[in-house]
Amino acid sequence: MNKIFELKNVSVVYKSGENVAALKDVSLNIEEKEQIAILGPSGAGKSTLLNVLSGLECVTEGEVLYSGTSLYKLKERELSDIRLKKFGFVFQAFHLIPNLNVQDNILLPALTAYGKAEKEWFSYLVEKLQIDHRMNHTPGQLSGGECQRVAIARALINKPEVLFADEPSGNLDTQNGQAVFDLLFDYANENGKTLIYVTHDLEKADLAKRKISIKDGAIC
Amino acid sequence: MLIQNIAKIWKVFNSSRKGIVCIVLAGVIFGMIPNITQLLFLSNEVEFVRESKEKYGKYGFRVAEPSEKDVSILKKESNVDEIYADEFQLTEYKNHYCNWHMSEKFDLNMLGGTVVEGSLPTKEGEICVDENYFNKYPKQKKKIGSKILIPITKKEEKEYTVSGIIREKTVFTDNDEFIFFVYKKNYQKNSVYISLRDYSEMNDYGDKIEKKLQGKMYVHLDLYLSMGYGSKYNFFDQNNMLYKGLYGILLITVCMVLYHLAKICMYDSSESISILRIIGINKNILAISFVVRFLALILLGIFVGVCASFAIFVVMQYSLYDSFAYIGKVFEIYSVEKLLKSVLLCLLMCVIVLLPLVWKIKFQSANELLRKENLFFKKRKRTNVFSLKSRFVGLKIAIHEMKNEIIMSLSGVLGIVLGIVIITGVFYYVKINYDKVEDNRNYETVIKLFDSADFWEDGYDAKIEKLRKNNYGFTKRVKTHSLFYNSVQLKLQSKQVPEQYRKYLEQDSTNRQMLSFGGGIEVQAVLLGYEDKELNELFTINGLEGKTLKDGEVVMLDHIYSNSMNTKDFASPFQSNDTVKIEKDENGEEELKIDCKIKKLTIYPDHDNFIMVFVANERTFENITEEKLPRYVFIDSINNDADMEVLQKLENDPDISVVNLKEKFDKMEEDKTVLNVFMITAFLLCMAIAITVMYSGYYMKIHIRRKEYAMLHTIGFRKSKIFRMVYLEIGGAYLLGCLISIIAANVITKYLYLLKYPEEGNYLYHFPMEVFTIANMFSIMVTVFVVCAILKKASKVLTIKMLHEL
């Protein structure tokens, strides 16, 4: 299998008063179609690692290669395009646009990237995620589980190569949390895509074929 | 217990030092606006009254034949500043009123007038004579120490020795009065003159005193009229209305800033509030704490603002006058009550601004408060913005945001409207106060000659003609410009009269009747005669080089002329090649063809009223008016001793009046110094407020939506696309604001114009498009600057770290 991500001696240091190292000399390879859970205690650097992989957080030292291309050497426009077309994001706090309805929130990445969305794929997603009856509602009118399903639909609308999820069930009850993971794995399995997620929950981590434990900014 | 709780909660709210500083700064503006506006207007009033008193004399009223009781009443009056008494007599001689002041010692500060030569009388038989008297009767010997016969009554004359010549300033253009100061021992104090501390309610005060003294009061007409009493709005009314207008607009503007600030504050504090609610703090205490904290910070700001405004005012006044004494005069009429009222009004406005936010604290659940977006974005079903095929996503989101968050969008639009209107108003106020009235500023001196019809001394015409032929005695280096001048009657048909001019003419009831019946109307116009070389200059400055004017033809000024205000927009009613009928004498009319229209004259006649101006060559002028002599001779500049001597000789000639124009215009410029300082300070204040309201509006928009921008960036929106979205929203708001501000600016500028010209303004006002355009360009510059600053800040927001923090 091909390497999709390659991290070479990556360090991330936050400069706020005193320097805090969120990642320390991390080297890591991720293959295509891999399903990876990033584990670790709070403040260990899990989210930072996820953000570094997804091109959201600049590295202080080292290099991040995506399909052989150094992510942080790309122009802002190129990096944004990769995030838009190749990556999908699911966050713990959903991060939906409050003023747009569910349909618009889901369509937004597709329309921005291509000016159109595949009708069948859109219908399949909203049906599978059971949000088809909520299309005209705004995020404020939805429950937490529904919001997260809308966020997943938005993440999947462009059929991303890599799906990133940062504690996607953190704000949800057990049943909704499980449903969310089922959806993410279904997508990855059915379409042969890479899934990388951060979780505290060991049970959820066990769902992944590969686990990366991180502590004090280093992989252990 | 309550106070303790509030104090604890304050610590939670006060986590952002920047937020505290912003609220205090808003308070500083709140404190400064009413106080500095009041101080500026008062200092403007004090300066204006001082100037008027200096020009016309201090006294406001004269009390005739006062009894001792009257004097004691006056002395007790708190508004009476000074009292002076002399013996006064009013006589009439050849249709001239003669004001006789008799005393052993005169107070010219009180009575007005300047001794231009010699001194006031100090011995029996001495007299100080009005300069105007010598001008009207040039045969009298205008020399200190000479004996002259002055008519005491219509039949009786008395000989006096001239001790001095006095010049009296008056608001009347054609002064027919004379003033005489005669030394008299044991004079009867039959007139008492009182000067007032406060002239702002002269009418009411005069009525009040008149009642007490049983009708013995006479108002000092020159002072009275110079302050604008007798017209629609006097100077104080104008100032008061301007103060209220300015204060009102600034108050609304600062309220907008506060609203934006309070919203940002609420947005930042909502999480803390919700957590406090969750841990069991009473929501009433939370709401009270939020309001009290905000008001306390505002009050602190107001206190600082009031102190700062006093300091600024004192520094400003000291730098103007090099003395603190003048400041006292302002504080004599300073109203603490007005300050307190305005501070209370500000606080009330703060409470009103905070009410919707308090409502949210009280009636939204802790969970809703925790999800910040629920605070400002309504939860309701929304129609789709996009279809499955949609382009221009950013544009559509921007339009959608503007449409759906109507209050937030409107507050942004209103901020822009206020910004543009304030800037337009300020520019316009500066324009109408500094607009250059057409005058003879290019010339240093003017020689005024007598109208030969009024002046019948033998040989006068021949003398002036001879002088004219010899360049008035000057060498060839001195360039003279003769202006022939006469009033003529014109016949106009009703259909010839344009709307604006018709309104002006219809002020007169006879004109109104004639025009409404569609008949002809007679109007007065001015016919100027130019020498050929002057005509060449006239055509050159109007871009018509090489043009000549035939006999029987005239050129016409393309606007109605007045040298008291700018009338360039008041178009004259004729076109090129029209024929005008001018009444030549009682029996005949002369038809003159208008050759062309011109924009400006080279030399201007004195004329306060609005009048049409025609220019003919010397021959045509003489043919119509039968006048051979010029009325004015303008002189460019004199740079050598020989010509200066000639000028002095002319000055001493009783047949000729010489006016130093340079001195006159320099004095006018000097008089504007205080107005300049006043205007610049008010200008800067308004600009600062306008910029602040725009900045706060844009800032609020981005601050509250930064999470949305960060999220869009995360899912792959390019920075440039997000910025474009911001530009579109701000651009849309600006466009809408600009359209609304046309109406608002129209109202404001008309209000300002009518304040300045209460009568003429009604038909002279037009929307100042050029000022509006300049104000808009300035606003756009401010917007671009502000947006760049905000976007620079916003680019920091577009990080995942910010998204998580939010």
Side-chain angles (χ1 to χ4, degrees), chain B residues 423-522:
Chain B
I423 296 169
T424 308
V426 169
F427 279 160
Y428 188 67
Y429 189 74
V430 172
K431 182 184 179 289
I432 56 174
N433 278 284
Y434 284 81
D435 229 355
K436 231 181 170 185
V437 175
E438 291 167 323
D439 55 32
N440 301 293
R441 214 167 275 254
N442 293 336
Y443 308 100
E444 275 189 4
T445 315
V446 61
I447 300 171
K448 290 186 178 175
L449 302 169
F450 291 100
D451 182 355
S452 53
D454 298 339
F455 194 89
W456 52 90
E457 192 178 330
D458 293 340
Y460 182 75
D461 284 13
K463 176 183 168 183
I464 301 300
E465 193 58 48
K466 195 180 163 191
L467 270 173
R468 195 180 151 214
K469 276 182 186 163
N470 295 318
N471 200 27
Y472 301 91
F474 295 113
T475 59
K476 280 183 183 173
R477 275 176 289 183
V478 176
K479 219 174 158 190
T480 58
H481 309 257
S482 299
L483 177 66
F484 298 77
Y485 167 93
N486 211 324
S487 289
V488 288
Q489 292 290 324
L490 274 186
K491 274 193 177 167
L492 284 180
Q493 287 306 309
S494 174
K495 60 183 177 187
Q496 281 180 298
V497 185
E499 189 61 32
Q500 201 182 15
Y501 193 49
R502 189 189 181 104
K503 277 187 197 164
Y504 169 65
L505 292 173
E506 277 180 350
Q507 285 183 111
D508 182 274
S509 58
T510 322
N511 287 347
R512 193 161 52 240
Q513 264 185 346
M514 307 249 308
L515 285 165
S516 55
F517 289 113
I521 185 173
E522 274 195 0

Side-chain angles (χ1 to χ4, degrees), chain B residues 75-91:
Chain B
K75 278 182 180 167
K76 281 177 194 162
E77 278 294 315
S78 58
N79 197 22
V80 171
D81 190 20
E82 283 176 55
I83 298 180
Y84 164 79
D86 72 4
E87 186 178 328
F88 177 78
Q89 249 187 321
L90 185 70
T91 60

